[in-house]
Amino acid sequence: MITIFIIGTGNLGTQLCQAIESTNSKQIQLIGYANKSNEIVAQINAPLISNRVPDCDLTILAVPDDAIAAVSSKITTDSIVVHTSGSAPMNILESHSNHGVFYIPQTFSKNRSVDFSDVTICLESSNNNVMKQLEVLASSLSRKRKPINSHQRQQLHLAAVYMNNFVNHCYFKSSELLKNANLEAELLEPLMNETLAKAQDSGSFAAQTGPARRGDDQTIQRHLQQLKELDREMYLALSESIKNTYET
Amino acid sequence: MITIFIIGTGNLGTQLCQAIESTNSKQIQLIGYANKSNEIVAQINAPLISNRVPDCDLTILAVPDDAIAAVSSKITTDSIVVHTSGSAPMNILESHSNHGVFYIPQTFSKNRSVDFSDVTICLESSNNNVMKQLEVLASSLSRKRKPINSHQRQQLHLAAVYMNNFVNHCYFKSSELLKNANLEAELLEPLMNETLAKAQDSGSFAAQTGPARRGDDQTIQRHLQQLKELDREMYLALSESIKNTYET
């Protein structure tokens, strides 16, 4: 049985606490959590323990990247200490003899339950014993897990920025154009769904269409004239990148 | 009964022929098709008619934007003539007394059947009689249709570039980063799905997360250093646009 304490109850921390509590695995147990504001989180059954980090096998930091060093320096138990960041290096925790990273490449919100079971949990560890413990936890939460190194994790995190942050912003810019033309956002939902399905089916390289793909500069120029000045740079940068991708 | 002839059997033309042939509606009938290469298309039952545009009620041009004017000038019947372009103005067809636009905001591939039934078909017409005929056709293919003007259609087409072309290119750039780090593309499929589900559920404005949304310039700088020089402009332009969106 691995006893676990979680520090940080933002989007990820809260979902992680809930996921650990709702698993049927008898190999892991959440013994408590802490957060900056010392506030009880209704969705978590384990107790808020605010004045100290209790004895446990594994302490998970689900705090912002720039708080990892400060928070981890206050942990005086000899538990394994891991962070959950996509970009912070593992060795930021090296003052703890057993340390590692438990990175879940998914987007989390407080009010949307995310199914962890299909997400590949990416693990990094200072030694084999730590890796074994992290694998027990990961396999209780998901069918998929994978050891990766810090460089791979940083590239994965950057790839996730494109896959989530940038894709979502393109969704937003699209909806803004519709709104300004008095058209409902729902008008392009079938296109939104088909774009994803086609990329998963044919691969995004083959799935690309549109004026930049065709090198149709006339349409690109007309589109630029339709856009507000502030929006032209992003349109152009994306179009140039598409052109560069398909140049022979 | 509306008799229909389709000129152009690219991705859209082929799917349109198939959709008309497979509908149960007795109000529409495909009487034939033509294409530049005079080639029979195996998926279409109606005959290839290559030497003339036959008498019919409605001739649909599914040809590239820059071919609409030339192809339509060769039509000497008094049929309604419509194009299917997102950006060409309707009046490019004004030499035909009955003309209009039949725009389907979806992405088409030759080898992926697209379900039209959920797509809002956008209609524009030179007069009420044309609109009535286009509505009969549209309602045979889809549950949703909407009259829009040329300005709205051009904005819709531009919005579709963001929703499809730009989103797909972000997918591609993400997969490229994974590949270069020896990571499988499947690793981010759950994130890809959740990004879409979350935007549809909460709206893309509220769904935005990430370094640009937080104004986390340190992470942005680190990401820029990880990227090849050619990729920095697109990363920066998207990040700037996200920052501009959330600036108070």
Side-chain angles (χ1 to χ4, degrees):
Chain A
M1 158 81 82
I2 303 173
T3 52
I4 302 168
F5 186 70
I6 293 187
I7 304 180
T9 53
N11 299 342
L12 169 60
T14 301
Q15 296 250 349
L16 204 47
C17 287
Q18 288 181 286
I20 292 170
E21 290 194 333
S22 64
T23 175
N24 293 321
S25 168
K26 296 213 163 102
Q27 296 186 281
I28 57 172
Q29 189 197 358
L30 184 73
I31 60 155
Y33 66 91
N35 56 42
K36 213 166 69 173
S37 51
N38 288 327
E39 271 176 19
I40 286 175
V41 182
Q43 303 101 299
I44 307 172
N45 299 317
L48 171 72
I49 302 177
S50 53
N51 50 344
R52 67 199 165 87
V53 175
D55 276 328
C56 62
D57 300 312
L58 173 63
T59 305
I60 301 178
L61 306 180
V63 299
D65 286 13
D66 57 11
I68 295 173
V71 173
S72 76
S73 73
K74 290 182 191 151
I75 302 169
T76 54
T77 67
D78 59 0
S79 103
I80 300 170
V81 178
V82 301
H83 72 62
T84 50
S85 162
S87 49
M90 179 173 73
N91 64 13
I92 196 173
L93 299 172
E94 67 190 355
S95 66
H96 301 273
S97 53
N98 294 301
H99 60 274
V101 181
F102 195 84
Y103 176 54
I104 308 172
Q106 182 54 287
T107 176
F108 296 98
S109 336
K110 273 204 172 140
N111 44 9
R112 272 183 66 81
S113 279
V114 168
D115 183 10
F116 282 60
S117 66
D118 207 38
V119 182
T120 304
I121 301 181
C122 297
L123 307 174
E124 195 176 345
S125 63
S126 61
N127 62 56
N128 280 343
N129 178 48
V130 171
M131 183 55 81
K132 275 182 201 156
Q133 309 267 315
L134 294 183
E135 282 187 339
V136 171
L137 172 58
S139 61
S140 302
L141 301 177
S142 172
R143 292 181 292 102
K144 301 178 187 167
R145 57 213 165 270
K146 185 181 177 76
I148 67 174
N149 61 39
S150 281
H151 171 73
Q152 286 179 309
R153 179 163 46 82
Q154 280 162 4
Q155 292 296 109
L156 176 57
H157 183 244
L158 180 52
V161 165
Y162 285 80
M163 187 61 95
N164 173 265
N165 303 168
F166 290 171
V167 164
N168 185 72
H169 189 60
C170 293
Y171 291 160
F172 172 71
K173 281 297 177 189
S174 181
S175 72
E176 198 180 47
L177 285 162
L178 294 179
K179 199 176 166 187
N180 291 341
N182 283 316
L183 294 166
E184 319 76 76
E186 291 68 33
L187 214 54
L188 288 185
E189 278 203 4
L191 179 61
M192 191 179 188
N193 293 322
E194 174 66 9
T195 299
L196 180 137
K198 193 171 161 182
Q200 287 185 343
D201 190 31
S202 331
S204 53
F205 183 84
Q208 190 67 51
T209 58
R213 172 70 182 93
R214 291 194 305 272
D216 175 355
D217 288 321
Q218 215 180 325
T219 300
I220 290 174
Q221 286 307 320
R222 199 172 42 226
H223 282 167
L224 287 171
Q225 284 160 20
Q226 282 174 250
L227 287 168
K228 291 183 193 148
E229 206 181 328
L230 204 62
D231 287 325
R232 290 181 190 154
E233 200 170 318
M234 175 177 147
Y235 181 98
L236 258 181
L238 276 153
S239 296
E240 283 303 310
S241 182
I242 294 171
K243 282 190 197 172
N244 290 337
T245 303
Y246 295 91
E247 251 173 16
T248 44
Chain B
M1 160 82 80
I2 303 172
T3 52
I4 302 168
F5 187 69
I6 292 187
I7 304 180
T9 54
N11 299 342
L12 169 59
T14 301
Q15 296 250 351
L16 205 48
C17 287
Q18 288 180 285
I20 293 171
E21 291 196 331
S22 64
T23 176
N24 292 323
S25 168
K26 296 210 163 103
Q27 297 186 281
I28 56 173
Q29 189 195 358
L30 184 73
I31 60 155
Y33 65 90
N35 56 41
K36 212 167 70 172
S37 52
N38 289 327
E39 269 175 21
I40 286 176
V41 182
Q43 302 102 298
I44 307 172
N45 298 318
L48 172 71
I49 302 176
S50 53
N51 49 347
R52 64 196 167 90
V53 175
D55 277 327
C56 63
D57 300 310
L58 174 62
T59 305
I60 300 177
L61 307 181
V63 300
D65 286 12
D66 57 11
I68 294 173
V71 173
S72 75
S73 72
K74 289 181 192 153
I75 302 171
T76 54
T77 68
D78 58 2
S79 105
I80 299 169
V81 178
V82 301
H83 71 62
T84 50
S85 162
S87 49
M90 178 173 75
N91 64 16
I92 196 172
L93 299 172
E94 67 191 356
S95 65
H96 301 273
S97 53
N98 294 302
H99 59 274
V101 181
F102 195 84
Y103 176 55
I104 307 172
Q106 183 54 287
T107 177
F108 296 97
S109 334
K110 274 204 172 138
N111 43 9
R112 270 182 67 82
S113 278
V114 167
D115 182 12
F116 282 60
S117 66
D118 207 36
V119 181
T120 303
I121 301 182
C122 297
L123 307 174
E124 196 176 343
S125 64
S126 61
N127 61 56
N128 279 343
N129 178 48
V130 171
M131 184 55 81
K132 274 182 202 155
Q133 309 267 317
L134 294 182
E135 281 186 341
V136 170
L137 172 59
S139 62
S140 303
L141 300 177
S142 172
R143 292 183 291 103
K144 301 177 187 167
R145 57 215 167 268
K146 186 182 176 75
I148 66 174
N149 60 40
S150 281
H151 171 72
Q152 286 179 309
R153 180 163 45 83
Q154 279 162 4
Q155 291 296 109
L156 177 56
H157 184 244
L158 180 52
V161 165
Y162 284 81
M163 188 60 96
N164 173 266
N165 302 169
F166 290 170
V167 163
N168 185 71
H169 189 60
C170 292
Y171 290 160
F172 172 71
K173 281 299 181 187
S174 181
S175 72
E176 197 180 48
L177 284 163
L178 293 180
K179 199 176 169 188
N180 290 342
N182 283 316
L183 294 166
E184 319 76 75
E186 290 70 31
L187 214 53
L188 287 186
E189 279 203 2
L191 180 61
M192 191 179 188
N193 294 322
E194 174 66 9
T195 299
L196 180 138
K198 193 171 159 181
Q200 288 184 343
D201 190 31
S202 332
S204 53
F205 183 83
Q208 190 67 50
T209 59
R213 171 71 181 91
R214 291 194 304 272
D216 176 354
D217 288 321
Q218 216 181 324
T219 300
I220 291 174
Q221 285 307 319
R222 200 174 41 228
H223 282 167
L224 287 171
Q225 283 160 21
Q226 281 174 251
L227 287 168
K228 289 181 196 151
E229 206 181 327
L230 204 63
D231 287 326
R232 289 181 191 156
E233 200 171 316
M234 174 176 149
Y235 181 99
L236 259 182
L238 276 153
S239 297
E240 284 302 312
S241 181
I242 294 171
K243 282 190 198 174
N244 291 336
T245 303
Y246 295 92
E247 251 173 17
T248 45

